[in-house]
């Protein structure tokens, strides 16, 4: 094995055409796809280390064991007023493979309308039809047989799955005891089983597909699916343990050119250069952080951090959106085995480990699988939901809308408009996959608005789309996710020894609450780096953790998020109290069951039910946490409109190029301009695939 010195020297001596910052979920997709082309030489810089043989990563049933370890950046939010001052841990993967090495391996897609909303914002080619080929390209789906489908409702439509992509996906081979009751319980409550939840609508009850290799029953993620099969390529170089401090930007006429990056490796500072592009794939927390460290962002934020302003774009780090989650815990039949029980019983854990090692079966293969996505109208009066949306539209939210009429809500930008001409295409025959989208608008050293003849109402706004999801409940979108699984998932409830538990997870999918992620202001009294400006004020570095402020339940629409979650919580409670799922329930443990009330003989049954209906609002404020799905901090779209707030602006173009630069891109979850009704990983892999294709296209056009 080469010594660390030889490794760094070899990396620095390589003439790269492309540098990828972040060897995570999207970064390894981008790097390996680029390396398939012999005229491209790719360098990957990853702050974490590889963990190829880590059981906490590879073994499905050991999910979440790596949270809070050396594989986790261990970020935290600032105290949240909407959560009564609580600060939340925000796990992010600090390991080769990124957060895909830490997640719960859920593999699903959003509704068609979610991707189409991105296209409405001016991002041609990013709607459902444009994304579907890439959602399939990254996937190698293992079909379940007829017996499995009958027993576990593992339905699928082969037309909407990929079969030869790098990421293995499959239904679990074994399920917890509760799953056999899930579909019938939801059916009893009017939610039908969705037999094709990958085809553009995830609404209904279904069984989860997971990113697990079906033979060895190991996690399939960007490291073992994309990087390791390509690590032998001479034009693909990885430097792990390298923390990038800055993208090196040089001025060139009206735009900036990315020349390379400055990074820290084993305590020493180095610089490496690229002939072509620098591609940031550091995720929703660290991609905006790195842009700001490089001088791209809001001048007020940069100046407070001691950073020279190069590109004035106040949208950097804004538009943060996250799925909010609650965990109600239920005591269950003590004879039921759970993954949690293995953590307190070394003998049982050893037996489970042996079973997994020898037969690839047992509790160590189990993952959460009982899922339902439902619209608000499933448990609320549709007219009341629509009225809520109309009320919000007439409130302070309306001030941020730029549409002249509701008719424009459903009209994507015309391909003939002056800002949607297509880039040069490769000479290869046309295929079903297209990387085309709006070309980059002309930019200057501050991100410019759309061309002068473009009217604001030609493109929908994020606010208008969020409002439409309420005012048009007939769209039938998955506005709330329910996920029931054995074990106690709550960070706020301590299990009692000897008892067994299950958790009902409830997640809001389309939040109005938006926040921000920014570098912190400099601390002039505690300098810890030699980097300074001319005034000797300390410059913030990558080791200074960013300020993560999701602003949960705050801002215009924040109260609506709370109200909708409170209503959805009541339905979550109803699900667990409905047979046959209720047959395994002893009682609710968290929040504790309310005191029993004796109905009055003078009241009707309906009056008693209304009186005794629980109000979960206070409990939700004190117990809501993150579902680990942050997006939007480097949002994709046309350049910011003139005289609009930062949250109306965009950071990257529809070709993922940072506004105001010629060759700096961001390709990861941070570019998603609107939250989707799904777990993120499948979509992030697709973004990596689509973005890599754009880079290859532009490199081919530049080289000819």
């Amino acid at each position: 094995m080469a010594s660390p010195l030889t490794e760094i020297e070899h990396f620095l001596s390589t003439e790269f055409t492309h540098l990828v910052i972040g060897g995570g979920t999207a970064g390894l997709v981008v790097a390996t796809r680029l390396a398939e082309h012999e005229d491209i030489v790719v360098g990957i810089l990853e702050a974490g280390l590889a963990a190829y043989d880590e059981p906490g990563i590879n073994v499905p049933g050991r999910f979440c064991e790596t949270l809070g370890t050396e594989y986790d950046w261990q970020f935290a939010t600032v105290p949240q007023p909407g959560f009564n001052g609580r600060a939340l841990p925000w796990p992010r993967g600090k390991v080769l493979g990124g957060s895909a090495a830490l997640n719960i391996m859920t593999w699903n897609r959003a509704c068609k309308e979610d991707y189409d909303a991105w296209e409405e914002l001016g991002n041609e080619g990013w709607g459902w039809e444009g994304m579907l080929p890439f959602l399939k390209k990254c996937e190698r789906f293992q079909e379940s047989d007829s017996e499995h489908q009958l027993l576990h409702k593992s339905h699928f439509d082969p037309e909407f799955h990929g079969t030869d992509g790098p990421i293995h996906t499959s239904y679990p081979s074994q399920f917890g005891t509760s799953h056999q009751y899930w579909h019938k319980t939801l059916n009893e409550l009017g939610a039908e089983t969705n037999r094709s939840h990958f085809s553009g609508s995830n609404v209904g009850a279904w069984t989860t597909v997971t990113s697990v290799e079906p033979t060895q029953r190991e996690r399939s993620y960007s490291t073992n699916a994309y990087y390791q099969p390509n690590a032998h390529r001479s034009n693909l170089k990885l430097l792990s343990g390298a923390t990038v401090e800055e993208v090196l930007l040089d001025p060139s006429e009206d735009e900036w050119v990315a020349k390379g990056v400055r990074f820290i490796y084993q305590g020493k500072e180095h610089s490496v250069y690229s002939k072509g592009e620098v591609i940031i794939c550091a995720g929703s927390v660290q991609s905006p952080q790195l842009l700001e460290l490089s001088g791209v962002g809001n001048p007020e934020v940069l100046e407070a951090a001691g950073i020279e302003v190069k590109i004035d774009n106040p949208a950097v780090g804004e538009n943060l959106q996250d799925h909010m989650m609650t965990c109600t815990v239920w005591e269950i039949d003590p004879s039921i085995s759970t993954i949690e029980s293995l953590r307190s019983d070394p003998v049982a854990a050893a037996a489970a480990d042996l079973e997994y090692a020898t037969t690839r079966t047992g509790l160590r293969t189990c993952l959460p699988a009982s899922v339902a996505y439902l619209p608000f109208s499933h448990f609320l009066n549709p007219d009341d939901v629509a009225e809520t949306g109309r009320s919000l539209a007439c409130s302070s939210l309306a001030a941020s809308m730029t549409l002249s009429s509701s008719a424009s809500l459903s009209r994507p930008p015309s391909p003939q408009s002056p800002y949607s001409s297509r880039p040069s295409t490769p000479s290869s025959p046309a295929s079903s996959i297209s990387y085309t989208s709006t070309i980059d608008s002309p930019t200057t050293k501050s991100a410019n608005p759309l061309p002068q003849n473009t009217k604001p109402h030609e493109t929908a706004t994020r606010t208008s789309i969020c409002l439409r999801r309420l005012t048009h409940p007939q769209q039938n979108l998955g506005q709330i996710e329910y996920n029931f699984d054995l074990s106690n998932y709550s960070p706020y409830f301590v299990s009692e020894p000897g008892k067994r538990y299950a958790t009902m997870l409830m997640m809001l999918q389309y939040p109005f609450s938006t926040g921000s992620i920014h570098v912190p202001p400099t601390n002039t009294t505690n300098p810890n780096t030699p980097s300074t400006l001319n005034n000797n004020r300390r410059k913030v570095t990558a080791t200074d953790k960013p300020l993560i402020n999701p602003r949960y339940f705050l801002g215009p629409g924040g109260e609506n998020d709370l109200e909708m979650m409170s209503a959805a919580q009541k339905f979550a409670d109803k699900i667990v109290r409905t047979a046959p799922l209720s047959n395994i329930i002893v009682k609710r443990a968290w929040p504790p069951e309310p005191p029993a009330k004796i109905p009055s003989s003078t009241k009707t049954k309906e009056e008693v039910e209304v009186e005794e209906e629980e109000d979960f609002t206070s409990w939700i404020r004190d117990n809501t946490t993150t579902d680990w799905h942050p997006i939007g901090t480097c949002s994709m779209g046309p350049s910011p409109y003139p005289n609009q707030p930062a949250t109306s602006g965009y950071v990257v173009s529809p070709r993922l190029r940072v506004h105001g630069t010629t060759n700096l891109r961001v390709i990861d979850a941070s570019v998603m301009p609107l939250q989707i009704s799904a777990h993120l990983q499948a979509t992030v892999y697709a973004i990596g695939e689509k973005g890599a294709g754009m880079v290859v296209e532009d490199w081919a056009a530049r080289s000819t």
Side-chain angles (χ1 to χ4, degrees):
M1 179 181 291
S3 69
L5 183 61
T6 303
E7 184 179 8
I8 183 65
E9 287 182 338
H10 181 63
F11 192 84
L12 292 174
S13 65
T14 303
E15 292 187 359
F16 293 110
T17 60
H18 295 75
L19 291 172
V20 174
I21 304 172
T25 310
L28 293 182
V29 176
V30 173
T32 55
R33 289 304 191 190
L34 295 184
E36 292 175 352
H37 302 266
E38 294 181 355
D39 61 333
I40 293 177
V41 182
V42 187
I44 309 168
L45 296 107
E46 165 58 37
L49 301 177
Y52 302 132
D53 301 317
E54 171 57 57
I57 292 175
N58 295 336
V59 180
R62 297 185 66 171
F63 63 89
C64 291
E65 289 186 14
T66 51
L67 301 183
T69 70
E70 68 271 26
Y71 304 124
D72 180 1
W73 280 99
Q74 300 181 46
F75 292 123
T77 70
V78 301
Q80 295 296 290
F83 287 176
N84 289 329
R86 287 183 296 127
L88 301 183
W90 255 45
R92 295 282 95 193
K94 187 182 182 182
V95 61
L96 189 67
S99 295
L102 272 60
N103 66 19
I104 306 181
M105 289 158 272
T106 299
W107 186 270
N108 72 327
R109 291 181 196 152
C111 291
K112 173 183 182 294
E113 292 86 348
D114 294 359
Y115 301 112
D116 287 345
W118 296 358
E119 193 159 45
E120 287 184 58
L121 293 171
N123 299 301
E124 183 187 349
W126 286 93
W128 169 257
E129 295 299 329
M131 282 291 288
L132 183 58
F134 301 99
L135 290 163
K136 295 169 66 174
K137 183 178 182 180
C138 62
E139 181 186 29
R140 185 183 295 263
F141 177 63
Q142 175 68 44
E143 296 184 1
S144 55
D145 60 32
S146 56
E147 181 181 3
H148 194 281
Q149 293 176 48
L150 181 64
L151 288 174
H152 306 299
K153 309 295 184 184
S154 54
H155 306 299
F156 62 91
D157 184 338
E159 178 185 351
F160 293 97
H161 288 279
T163 57
D164 57 0
I167 299 294
H168 289 271
T169 65
S170 61
Y171 281 104
S173 57
Q174 293 182 236
F175 297 82
T177 303
S178 60
H179 184 68
Q180 61 186 302
Y181 307 121
W182 179 251
H183 285 266
K184 184 169 178 55
T185 299
L186 269 294
N187 296 162
E188 288 290 326
L189 294 171
E192 297 181 1
T193 294
N194 187 333
R195 301 177 65 91
S196 182
H197 53 276
F198 280 80
S199 60
S201 173
N202 59 23
V203 173
W206 37 271
T207 302
T208 300
V209 173
T210 61
S211 52
V212 172
E213 195 282 321
T215 303
Q216 293 301 310
R217 286 291 153 188
E218 292 185 346
R219 179 192 297 265
S220 180
Y221 68 119
S222 55
T223 298
N224 58 21
Y226 280 90
Y227 175 71
Q228 286 183 280
N230 291 282
H232 66 280
R233 295 182 182 273
S234 61
N235 62 339
L236 180 63
K237 309 294 182 184
L238 166 68
L239 186 65
S240 57
T243 301
V244 175
E245 290 283 348
E246 176 185 11
V247 177
L248 302 173
L249 296 171
D250 285 351
S252 176
E253 298 180 355
D254 290 336
E255 295 181 308
W256 291 81
V257 179
K259 295 294 188 181
V261 303
R262 179 172 61 84
F263 65 96
I264 305 296
Y265 180 77
Q266 295 189 346
K268 295 183 180 180
E269 184 177 292
H270 304 276
S271 294
V272 64
Y273 301 93
S274 168
K275 292 181 179 179
E277 295 195 22
V278 174
I279 305 163
I280 300 175
C281 303
S284 293
V285 174
Q286 288 156 295
S287 286
Q289 177 196 30
L290 185 53
L291 284 179
E292 291 181 339
L293 290 172
S294 307
V296 182
N298 187 327
E300 293 184 5
V301 172
L302 302 185
E303 290 166 3
I307 299 170
E308 177 188 356
V309 179
K310 295 180 179 177
I311 299 177
D312 175 354
N313 187 341
V316 174
E318 297 292 328
N319 192 44
L320 171 63
Q321 300 159 59
D322 186 27
H323 289 154
M324 289 178 274
M325 176 174 71
T326 63
C327 306
T328 51
V329 183
W330 300 77
E331 185 182 342
I332 61 173
D333 183 335
S335 67
I336 295 175
S337 297
T338 69
I339 290 176
E340 180 188 17
S341 64
L342 301 182
R343 297 169 190 157
S344 58
D345 188 340
V347 175
D353 290 339
L354 179 61
E355 181 181 4
Y356 176 78
T358 55
T359 66
R360 298 303 188 189
T361 61
L363 278 177
R364 292 302 194 197
T365 69
C366 290
L367 288 168
S370 305
V371 173
Y373 280 73
L374 298 175
F376 294 142
S377 58
H378 189 86
F379 47 84
L380 293 173
N381 186 305
D383 292 337
D384 292 341
V385 176
E387 181 57 34
T388 298
R390 286 190 288 269
S391 297
L392 283 171
C394 295
S395 69
S396 56
L397 273 174
S400 64
M401 295 180 62
T402 59
L403 293 177
S404 60
S405 69
S406 59
S408 59
L409 286 172
S410 59
R411 186 179 69 248
S414 166
Q416 285 71 46
S417 70
Y419 56 95
S420 63
S421 57
R422 299 177 180 270
S424 56
T425 56
S427 56
S428 58
S431 69
S432 62
I433 293 181
S434 171
Y435 304 96
T436 58
S437 72
T438 323
I439 64 168
D440 299 337
S441 10
T443 51
T444 65
K445 295 180 183 180
S446 65
N448 277 348
L450 295 170
Q452 292 182 354
N453 58 348
T454 302
K455 298 178 181 179
H457 69 264
E458 289 180 338
T459 306
T461 68
R462 286 174 282 218
T463 298
S464 66
I465 292 171
C466 287
L467 286 171
R468 183 182 61 199
R469 289 166 174 165
L470 287 179
T471 56
H472 294 73
Q474 66 272 21
Q475 286 190 93
N476 199 37
L477 301 176
Q479 293 167 311
I480 288 286
E481 177 190 354
Y482 295 104
N483 192 324
F484 188 85
D485 194 41
L486 304 178
S487 294
N488 169 19
Y489 282 66
S490 173
Y492 305 109
F493 175 75
V494 179
S495 299
E496 292 186 36
K499 293 185 177 181
R500 302 290 171 85
Y501 297 94
T503 304
M504 171 58 84
L505 305 166
M506 185 271 289
M507 294 79 96
L508 180 68
Q509 298 299 294
Y510 304 126
F512 280 94
S513 306
T514 58
S516 64
I517 295 178
H518 293 298
V519 294
T522 186
N523 180 359
T524 57
T525 63
N526 184 30
N528 60 11
T529 173
S531 300
T532 58
L533 296 182
N534 292 332
N535 61 3
N536 291 321
R537 222 175 26 158
R538 185 177 83 81
K539 178 181 178 181
V540 166
T541 72
T543 60
D544 296 301
K545 289 190 175 182
L547 300 177
I548 302 172
N549 185 11
R551 301 186 71 248
Y552 297 121
F553 296 150
L554 297 181
E559 282 294 323
N560 179 76
D561 290 345
L562 178 60
E563 291 172 8
M564 290 302 180
M565 287 189 71
S566 183
Q569 194 67 61
K570 295 175 185 178
F571 191 73
D573 206 67
K574 187 174 184 178
I575 293 173
V576 185
R577 297 183 190 277
T578 299
L581 183 59
S582 62
N583 295 341
I584 66 169
I585 302 299
V586 175
K587 66 177 181 179
R588 195 178 70 200
W590 190 253
E593 295 277 18
K597 293 184 178 180
I598 302 176
S600 169
S601 60
T602 62
K603 296 179 180 178
T604 66
K605 178 182 177 182
E606 289 74 16
E607 289 174 330
V608 170
E609 289 177 349
V610 170
E611 181 183 272
E612 295 189 346
E613 189 175 68
E614 278 189 83
D615 183 356
F616 289 96
T617 304
S618 296
W619 182 84
I620 288 173
R621 280 200 186 276
D622 289 332
N623 288 271
T624 296
T625 186
T626 173
D627 195 23
W628 310 304
H629 295 161
I631 62 106
T633 49
C634 297
S635 285
M636 165 180 59
S639 296
Y641 298 134
N643 303 317
Q644 290 290 317
T647 51
S648 296
Y650 302 99
V651 178
V652 301
S653 73
R655 287 189 72 79
L656 307 182
R657 189 170 290 120
V658 175
H659 289 303
T661 73
T662 62
N663 63 337
L664 175 62
R665 297 195 209 229
V666 179
I667 305 179
D668 57 33
S670 70
V671 307
M672 297 165 59
L674 268 175
Q675 189 58 276
I676 61 173
S677 175
H679 292 244
L680 300 186
Q681 70 161 335
T683 297
V684 174
Y685 281 117
I687 290 171
E689 291 279 10
K690 188 175 178 72
M694 292 177 173
V695 176
V696 170
E697 272 189 355
D698 291 348
W699 180 251
R702 174 177 175 171
S703 302
T704 55

